[in-house]
Amino acid sequence: MAEKTNILIIDDDRDILSACKVLLKRQFDSVVTCQDPREIPALMAEQEFQVIMLDMNFSPGASSGEEGLQWLEKIIAIDRDAVVIMVTAFSSVGAAVEAMKLGAHDFIEKPWNNERLTTTLAAAVRLRRSREETRRFKQHNRILTEDLSRRHHPIIGQSQAIGQVL
């Protein structure tokens, strides 16, 4: 059975959220939208998201991207494997570079090309699943390594003579 694909979109513009929901609902199992970034921790506690699209500016007139970068750091602190795609209407190479340094997967400018957006999200979902699989393999490998490193002895006993044999 295929895993459910949940997408979270955080943007202060209701029109953007509505457009995304309409565009993406056919390709992904669940598209959750949110206007207030302060709801992010609660939403992430309720369910796991394969991809998070995060606007970079939320306050009226803001264009520096600082708000988005701060929320990006909080998202990564909650889920180190989070795949976050930053979104902004204000193109800034510096902001994009900073977002990537902080852990963003990609950067999309508004207005976006619908095909590019859906392709980017599909690739991001594959990345998230790959990260989850890698984490499971590492955990499994660690358990196997621990098991193999334990001393297994077919001889049972605690006497001094048995101790010397062992």
Side-chain angles (χ1 to χ4, degrees), residues 51-159:
V51 181
I52 299 172
M53 280 180 53
L54 176 65
D55 192 15
M56 291 196 71
N57 299 294
F58 293 95
S59 299
S63 63
S64 70
E66 286 300 314
E67 292 170 299
L69 295 177
Q70 290 171 0
W71 281 106
L72 172 62
E73 288 183 300
K74 290 176 184 175
I75 289 168
I76 299 297
I78 293 169
D79 178 2
R80 71 172 192 254
D81 291 330
V83 178
V84 182
I85 298 173
M86 303 303 289
V87 182
T88 188
F90 303 97
S91 176
S92 166
V93 173
V97 169
E98 187 62 26
M100 299 299 210
K101 285 180 182 177
L102 292 173
H105 169 66
D106 208 339
F107 192 90
I108 295 179
E109 292 179 87
K110 295 177 193 174
W112 55 73
N113 171 289
N114 287 346
E115 187 175 327
R116 182 186 185 296
L117 176 64
T118 56
T119 301
T120 299
L121 286 171
V125 167
R126 287 190 301 274
L127 174 65
R128 173 62 184 221
R129 294 219 165 108
S130 175
R131 286 180 178 176
E132 290 169 349
E133 188 174 357
T134 299
R135 185 175 5 94
R136 282 192 302 271
F137 283 142
K138 284 182 178 179
Q139 182 179 12
H140 186 71
N141 190 37
R142 182 184 48 78
I143 291 168
L144 288 174
T145 301
E146 287 173 2
D147 190 45
L148 289 173
S149 66
R150 283 192 211 115
R151 295 178 69 173
H152 296 284
H153 302 289
I155 300 174
I156 300 173
Q158 297 179 356
S159 69

Side-chain angles (χ1 to χ4, degrees), residues 36-51:
D36 186 350
R38 293 175 293 189
E39 295 177 23
I40 293 170
L43 289 168
M44 290 180 73
E46 289 174 15
Q47 64 181 303
E48 182 178 317
F49 294 99
Q50 280 64 50
V51 181

